[in-house]
Amino acid sequence: MASYKNIVVLTGAGVSAESGVSTFRDNDGLWEQHRIEDVATPEAFHRDPDMVQNFYNVRRAQLKNVEPNAAHIALGALESGLDGQVTIVTQNVDNLHERGGSTSIIHMHGELGKVRCTCCGYVFLWPGDCSQSSQCPNCFNQPALRPHIVWFGEMPFEMDRIESLLGACDLFISIGTSGSVYPAAGFVSLVRAIGAAHTIEVNLEPSDGASHFAETRHGEAGTLVPLLVEELLA
Ligand code: APR
């Protein structure tokens, strides 16, 4: 394999599936058990904040019972072993990339382990439950705190930075995402339109965007990602 110096890795729920974190659109996925409109939109939070807070409280608590898998750990090793830059752009709100050893991570859909004050805008680490009676530690308003999550209808974080990284990379890898949610689903086309980077999809099955990748590898991330990282570091 060519030696790459500037790698961007897009990840989705599939990279955390083998850690026991539910995906969204597979059988038994989160969106089979909950309606997006009830728990993952600004309107839902306005209508029923307790229900939305509880949905994220349960998921935040689940983070304490899961561990990074071989794919997270291999990506951490890629960052430390490559003579170049590796950036993870993740749609995941869990912290398994951090715990797998990666340090250069953009959480474009937010982070479960943080809350944001709707009054002063401060973002805080928040390991426990959050509710409408939780007080903002900065401006002391209450109710004020919401999950630091990008809901449907909101703008993903750090898009300008992500677009420049996509324009500058020489390898783009997409792991464990169905390719059904934009803007992330459009990254591969953007990469190919802007530059000459190689593009690889690693997913359990062909994603909606599989035909846009120069190379596809289908199977479990926990098996395929360590093999890919081994090739990249060889
Ligand atoms: N290894 C690799 N891929 C896997 C594995 C695995 N072990 N298990 C599942 N997958 C694949 C599935 O085949 C599917 O294509 O991961 C993909 C997960 O797709 P989604 O559930 O749609 O998750 P994702 O693409 O991350 O969703 C994007 O949608 O609801 C929003 O904000 C949410 O960030 C999320 C966004």
Side-chain angles (χ1 to χ4, degrees), residues 180-195:
S180 53
V181 175
Y182 284 82
F187 288 173
V188 61
S189 303
L190 195 65
V191 167
R192 297 193 80 170
I194 306 175

Side-chain angles (χ1 to χ4, degrees), residues 11-15 17-18 23-26 31 36 91-93 109 150 152 175-181 202-207 219-222:
T11 64
V15 79
E18 289 158 73
T23 62
F24 295 94
R25 295 175 182 79
D26 293 312
W31 299 151
I36 287 172
Q91 299 167 90
N92 297 345
V93 295
H109 289 173
V150 176
F152 284 88
I175 304 170
T177 176
S178 58
S180 53
V181 175
V202 179
N203 205 52
L204 198 56
E205 61 202 2
S207 74
E220 293 192 322

Side-chain angles (χ1 to χ4, degrees), residues 6-23:
N6 200 339
I7 303 179
V8 174
V9 184
L10 171 69
T11 64
V15 79
S16 296
E18 289 158 73
S19 294
V21 180
S22 296
T23 62

Side-chain angles (χ1 to χ4, degrees), residues 61-108:
Q62 282 168 351
L63 276 190
K64 295 180 182 145
N65 303 322
V66 296
E67 298 295 331
N69 64 51
H72 300 107
I73 292 166
L75 290 171
L78 178 64
E79 183 188 316
S80 50
L82 192 87
D83 179 18
Q85 173 76 27
V86 178
T87 309
I88 308 278
V89 177
T90 187
Q91 299 167 90
N92 297 345
V93 295
D94 65 47
N95 56 6
L96 293 174
H97 283 304
E98 285 86 346
R99 290 163 60 196
S102 295
T103 63
S104 181
I105 305 165
I106 299 176
H107 279 277
M108 62 180 290

Side-chain angles (χ1 to χ4, degrees), residues 47-211:
R47 200 169 49 239
D48 192 345
D50 292 333
M51 184 204 242
V52 174
Q53 295 276 21
N54 281 336
F55 174 74
Y56 290 100
N57 285 343
V58 169
R59 301 188 61 215
R60 194 177 299 118
Q62 282 168 351
L63 276 190
K64 295 180 182 145
N65 303 322
V66 296
E67 298 295 331
N69 64 51
H72 300 107
I73 292 166
L75 290 171
L78 178 64
E79 183 188 316
S80 50
L82 192 87
D83 179 18
Q85 173 76 27
V86 178
T87 309
I88 308 278
V89 177
T90 187
Q91 299 167 90
N92 297 345
V93 295
D94 65 47
N95 56 6
L96 293 174
H97 283 304
E98 285 86 346
R99 290 163 60 196
S102 295
T103 63
S104 181
I105 305 165
I106 299 176
H107 279 277
M108 62 180 290
H109 289 173
E111 291 172 77
L112 260 183
K114 294 181 178 172
V115 297
R116 183 167 80 244
C117 179
T118 55
C119 299
C120 70
Y122 264 65
V123 176
F124 306 94
L125 284 172
W126 201 271
D129 285 352
C130 185
S131 75
Q132 293 307 90
S133 52
S134 304
Q135 193 178 48
C136 172
N138 184 57
C139 71
F140 307 112
N141 274 304
Q142 168 266 322
L145 301 181
R146 56 162 280 179
H148 189 49
I149 298 287
V150 176
W151 287 322
F152 284 88
E154 297 183 321
M155 187 63 87
F157 298 136
E158 301 205 56
M159 283 307 299
D160 289 347
R161 196 174 142 218
I162 294 171
E163 280 174 21
S164 24
L165 285 162
L166 293 173
C169 72
D170 51 14
L171 174 63
F172 174 73
I173 308 170
S174 171
I175 304 170
T177 176
S178 58
S180 53
V181 175
Y182 284 82
F187 288 173
V188 61
S189 303
L190 195 65
V191 167
R192 297 193 80 170
I194 306 175
H198 185 47
T199 54
I200 305 178
E201 164 168 289
V202 179
N203 205 52
L204 198 56
E205 61 202 2
S207 74
D208 291 355
S211 61

